[in-house]
Amino acid sequence: GEFPTYREEQQVILVVGPHGPQAPHAQRAHRFVTKNQAWNILLTPDAVTLEADVAAGYASYDEFALRFRLVWQALLTNFSPSQVERQGLRYVDHIEGDHTAPEWAAFINPELLGSLVERFGDKISQSASEVRLTRDDGVLVFKHGMLPIGPSSTCGYLLDFDYFIEEPQDDTSLEAVMDRFDGYHQMLYSMFRWCVTDAALDGFRAA
C-alpha cells in the first residue's frame, strides 16, 4: 500500500578486476514506488535499497527511518535474512549555483574550501576531493567540490556523504539495523552542518 507502483527491471553487472573486465551478467530487480514518486525500493537477489528524492518530496531522516522500518520488517517476515553483509546510509547534496571559488565561501565552510581558493581564487573552475575515514562503527567516505551534476551539467557544489559497514553483522533485528542507521545519521548531519553556512541551510529549507 505504501509503494503501489511496481515494475520489474534487468540490471547488467560488469565487474572490472586486475585482469580486465569480466563477462557481464544480468539479474532481475524489483522496484516499488510511492504515489508521489518521492520514494522507491529496489530489491535484488542480494540487496534492498530505499531511495529518496528531495525534489519529489523527501523531507527528513525521520521519514526515511519510518519507511525503512516497513521495508526491513517486510524483509524479515518474507525472507528471514541470517546476516547483514553490508549496510550503509548515503546523502548526496548538490547546492546549485554558478559561483566562483571565493563566492562559494558564502555557502560552504571556508575551512573546507581550503588554501587553494585563497591562492588561486576565481581561476578555479572545477575541483574535487575525497576523504576516507575508518571509524569503529564503519567507513565514512566524503566527496566534495565544485562539480557539474546531472544530464544538464548543472553547476554547483557537491557534498556526498557515504557511511557504511562491510563486516558481516549477525544481528539482523529491526532494532539493530535501525540503531546503525541512527548513529550514521547523527554523524553525517553533524558533518553536513560543519560543511555549510547558515545561508546555505536557509536555501535548503526554502527549497
Side-chain angles (χ1 to χ4, degrees):
E2 294 288 330
F3 298 83
T5 301
Y6 166 78
R7 61 178 178 267
E8 184 176 314
E9 301 177 358
Q10 288 286 336
Q11 290 190 333
V12 178
I13 300 173
L14 178 63
V15 179
V16 179
H19 303 294
Q22 302 177 12
H25 67 278
Q27 70 176 10
R28 292 172 61 191
H30 307 274
R31 190 177 295 276
F32 307 84
V33 187
T34 56
K35 288 182 179 180
N36 64 359
Q37 308 293 309
W39 297 85
N40 70 87
I41 303 166
L42 184 65
L43 179 64
T44 66
D46 57 2
V48 61
T49 304
L50 177 63
E51 299 174 345
D53 186 346
V54 171
Y58 169 79
S60 69
Y61 170 77
D62 290 339
E63 189 177 3
F64 165 84
L66 180 64
R67 291 186 181 274
F68 197 85
R69 281 181 171 274
L70 296 175
V71 173
W72 193 249
Q73 187 58 61
L75 262 291
L76 291 173
T77 300
N78 291 281
F79 297 102
S80 301
S82 60
Q83 236 181 22
V84 175
E85 293 186 353
R86 186 186 194 278
Q87 180 180 343
L89 182 64
R90 185 179 184 187
Y91 289 100
V92 180
D93 300 298
H94 191 242
I95 306 174
E96 295 184 358
D98 189 6
H99 304 298
T100 65
E103 290 172 343
W104 275 114
F107 307 98
I108 303 297
N109 188 332
E111 291 185 50
L112 184 63
L113 294 173
S115 58
L116 286 178
V117 173
E118 297 178 3
R119 182 173 180 83
F120 296 106
D122 56 12
K123 295 181 175 62
I124 300 175
S125 59
Q126 187 168 311
S127 68
S129 298
E130 178 175 322
V131 179
R132 187 181 183 94
L133 305 174
T134 301
R135 296 172 52 84
D136 292 340
D137 58 351
V139 176
L140 198 166
V141 178
F142 173 45
K143 303 174 185 177
H144 71 97
M146 295 168 52
L147 294 168
I149 296 294
S152 301
S153 294
T154 304
C155 294
Y157 202 95
L158 174 70
L159 298 170
D160 185 343
F161 307 89
D162 191 7
Y163 207 157
F164 57 89
I165 188 169
E166 292 184 310
E167 297 177 2
Q169 305 294 307
D170 293 328
D171 189 349
T172 64
S173 67
L174 182 62
E175 292 75 15
V177 168
M178 296 313 301
D179 282 348
R180 282 192 287 272
F181 274 141
D182 290 346
Y184 290 172
H185 166 70
Q186 291 176 11
M187 177 62 185
L188 293 184
Y189 184 73
S190 66
M191 282 193 64
F192 172 77
R193 281 301 288 124
W194 178 83
C195 289
V196 301
T197 65
D198 291 341
L201 196 64
D202 290 340
F204 276 117
R205 288 169 176 163

